[in-house]
Structures are given as structure tokens and as C-alpha cells.
Amino acid sequence: LAKTTQPISMDSYEGQEVNITCSHNNIATNDYITWYQQFPSQGPRFIIQGYKTKVTNEVASLFIPADRKSSTLSLPRVSLSDTAVYYCLLRGAGANNLFFGTGTRLTVIP
Amino acid sequence: NAGVTQTPKFQVLKTGQSMTLQCAQDMNHEYMSWYRQDPGMGLRLIHYSVGAGITDQGEVPNGYNVSRSTTEDFPLRLLSAAPSQTSVYFCATQPGMGDTEAFFGQGTRLTVV
């Protein structure tokens, strides 16, 4: 199973845009890139998923270059409530099982 | 609509005791799974079920049993608790095979002493 690599932690001030990059050099042709968010003492929550180029929803944007060897989760104008751990996962098409790494701990500072 | 409900929220067990962690969902999702999360780590898959009557092993199944007699319920049984099973346990559901989004419960924090 292809592995993902993310920064262990990041700090950001309120109101800034935050970009979290995930490296997945061995991504398979049928893998989708999925991001989850986890607050303390809660289960993970789905944020966004993409295959290539750019995907945007009401919460975040996901940028995927043509070679798909990395991806960037972009959170616009973060607030204190965005403090959480963010996980980048690869999920094969048709597969349900999720394989989590250690994620990126984002701390938003007032 | 409660979503995914896990009980209990907290539990302390003595080594060798057995117990069942409950997971119930009211979303009529076919796929259910159990994960454990150790401190500072990501989640690891224990067991999963693609529908009533069907279960299979994940990454770390040893020491755990599951059954799926109904669509709604997916209990996780610890046969003989060990300190290494101290963890936070999460149940998750997905509508069907290959669906994008997984919905997680609030977790059960288990301590084995």
C-alpha cells in the first residue's frame, strides 16, 4: 500500500490561509486522495477527496498536480476551531478500508 | 437521526476480563468497520463488515472478534483484555462499497489495567 508523508505539525494565525502538503510518490493509478480532520476526543471527519487537478467544497480546496505524487489541502482563513489533526489518505477505487498515517497537527493561534 | 452511536464512552477493564464495545447506526449503511487509535498515532483497522452476516479482518485483528447479525449493529468483542489493548476505539460506517465518505462514532476510551 502506497504511503503518505505529511509534516508532523504546523502553526498558523487566525485569518490566514493554511496549506498542508502530502507526499505520495508511489500512488497507484486507481488511488484517490482523501483528507480527514480529527478534533480531540472525536472521530475523524471527511473533508475532501480528489483524483487530479483541483477540487473545492465549502470547507477546503485540494490541489493535485499532474504527476499526482503530492497533494495540497488548502484551508482558507482559518479560525481557532480549525485546530485539529489532518490526515491525508490514499484510497483505491472501490475500496472502503482507510489507512491512516500520523497526520498533521494544525494549531491556530489567536 | 443519531448517526453512529458507540457505547460505552469510557471503560476500565482488568487484564483477562472480556467485554463488548457496541456500535449502532441508523443510516442504513452496508459497510461498517472498527478502528483503534493509540496515543499520537493514526487509526488502524481491526475488523470490517460489508453487510449483515459478512465480516473480515483488518490490519490488527488479534484479540478481537466481531459479528454482524443486523445492518444496524456491529459489536466488537475483546475476549481476554490485555494492557496492549488500551486504546481509543472508533466505529465507522459507509453507505456501500467504494463510497467516499466514512462516518465515525465518538469513540470508546478503553483502559486495561
Side-chain angles (χ1 to χ4, degrees):
Chain A
L1 193 67
K3 183 180 173 178
T4 61
T5 304
Q6 311 172 227
I8 293 174
S9 64
M10 296 179 66
D11 293 339
S12 176
Y13 288 101
E14 269 191 299
Q16 289 188 329
E17 178 184 74
V18 170
N19 295 310
I20 305 175
T21 297
C22 179
S23 173
H24 28 78
N25 290 318
N26 297 319
I27 187 169
T29 303
N30 67 345
D31 281 343
Y32 285 77
I33 301 155
T34 305
W35 286 80
Y36 279 78
Q37 173 191 55
Q38 186 178 26
F39 296 116
S41 301
Q42 293 189 25
R45 184 175 73 113
F46 172 84
I47 302 176
I48 198 166
Q49 176 172 287
Y51 184 81
K52 61 181 179 180
T53 63
K54 177 184 174 182
V55 180
T56 297
N57 61 22
E58 65 277 6
V59 176
S61 294
L62 179 59
F63 298 92
I64 305 168
D67 66 4
R68 301 197 337 119
K69 293 184 183 300
S70 67
S71 58
T72 300
L73 176 73
S74 181
L75 305 172
R77 297 183 299 281
V78 294
S79 64
L80 297 177
S81 62
D82 293 316
T83 293
V85 178
Y86 292 82
Y87 295 97
C88 169
L89 294 79
L90 301 180
R91 185 182 67 81
N96 284 65
N97 295 343
L98 303 176
F99 298 91
F100 289 81
T102 53
T104 298
R105 183 173 299 276
L106 172 66
T107 302
V108 179
I109 306 164
Chain B
N1 188 344
V4 181
T5 302
Q6 291 185 235
T7 55
K9 287 187 170 49
F10 302 94
Q11 183 71 48
V12 179
L13 286 179
K14 293 183 179 179
T15 297
Q17 285 184 317
S18 63
M19 80 158 293
T20 299
L21 280 63
Q22 301 291 346
C23 176
Q25 54 110 349
D26 61 2
M27 297 183 286
N28 201 31
H29 287 177
E30 289 297 320
Y31 184 89
M32 297 185 74
S33 51
W34 277 101
Y35 293 82
R36 61 177 287 174
Q37 185 173 32
D38 299 326
M41 305 289 289
L43 283 70
R44 291 183 294 167
L45 181 66
I46 305 172
H47 284 286
Y48 64 96
S49 168
V50 300
I54 306 169
T55 64
D56 207 343
Q57 297 181 350
E59 297 177 82
V60 288
N62 293 340
Y64 307 95
N65 274 357
V66 291
S67 60
R68 184 91 180 274
S69 56
T70 66
T71 299
E72 294 77 20
D73 299 298
F74 190 42
L76 177 72
R77 280 182 284 278
L78 280 71
L79 308 174
S80 177
S84 61
Q85 293 178 303
T86 294
S87 190
V88 181
Y89 291 83
F90 291 100
C91 177
T93 73
Q94 288 158 275
M97 291 303 294
D99 279 296
T100 301
E101 182 176 354
F103 297 84
F104 285 83
Q106 292 294 304
T108 294
R109 185 175 295 274
L110 176 68
T111 302
V112 183
V113 298

